[in-house]
Amino acid sequence: MSKNLILTALLTLLMATASIAQETVYQLSSHILDIKTGQPATGVKITLSRLDDNRSWQTIDERATDANGRVKEFLAKSPDTDNRGIYKLTYLVGPYFKAQAQDSFYPFIEVVFEIKDDSHYHVPITLSPYGYSTYRGN
């Protein structure tokens, strides 16, 4: 009986280790804080584009902010992936403000930045109907 218990524990440990090892790591994330309400901006669509060799923007991903106003899953990272380049995050904030019956100056916001190495990049914005601010977070 104890032999079966030990075998079950080892198998469980092996499965847990394998699932952790397969977890995808992402290099880019973003966050939107609505400073008018002091709350995260949920459900905002964010488009990620990359500047190609022809100086044209190519859309590579599109996601919506979660309940915490975050998108954590941009640019999957692996040993054979090089994500260096110039990117643009387009925050489609017009529908967000419209859903709140709030007039806004910005139908969308574009933030252009460069990934220069393999470290994590976090691009948050603080948002109001008539202004925004962005910075490189961590």
Side-chain angles (χ1 to χ4, degrees), residues 56-123:
S56 297
W57 291 108
Q58 300 300 316
T59 299
I60 57 174
D61 203 352
E62 188 172 270
R63 299 183 181 268
T65 56
D66 63 15
N68 292 315
R70 297 181 183 275
V71 171
K72 300 176 186 177
E73 303 90 10
F74 282 131
L75 293 178
K77 197 173 163 183
S78 67
D80 59 337
T81 303
D82 183 4
N83 289 325
R84 287 180 287 189
I86 298 176
Y87 293 87
K88 173 174 62 174
L89 287 170
T90 303
Y91 300 84
L92 302 169
V93 296
Y96 168 78
F97 285 119
K98 186 174 183 178
Q100 296 182 5
Q102 169 67 58
D103 192 32
S104 172
F105 185 63
Y106 302 104
F108 60 90
I109 297 166
E110 294 182 326
V111 178
V112 177
F113 57 96
E114 185 174 8
I115 291 182
K116 297 182 178 185
D117 54 35
D118 288 334
S119 64
H120 182 78
Y121 285 72
H122 182 63
V123 183

Side-chain angles (χ1 to χ4, degrees), residues 23-40:
E23 186 176 315
T24 304
V25 175
Y26 295 91
Q27 189 170 2
L28 177 64
S29 60
S30 188
H31 179 230
I32 306 173
L33 178 64
D34 184 335
I35 59 174
K36 181 177 186 251
T37 64
Q39 298 294 315

Side-chain angles (χ1 to χ4, degrees), residues 40-58:
T42 62
V44 176
K45 188 168 26 170
I46 304 174
T47 301
L48 174 64
S49 304
R50 184 177 184 157
L51 193 62
D52 67 17
D53 293 337
N54 297 322
R55 309 298 289 170
S56 297
W57 291 108
Q58 300 300 316

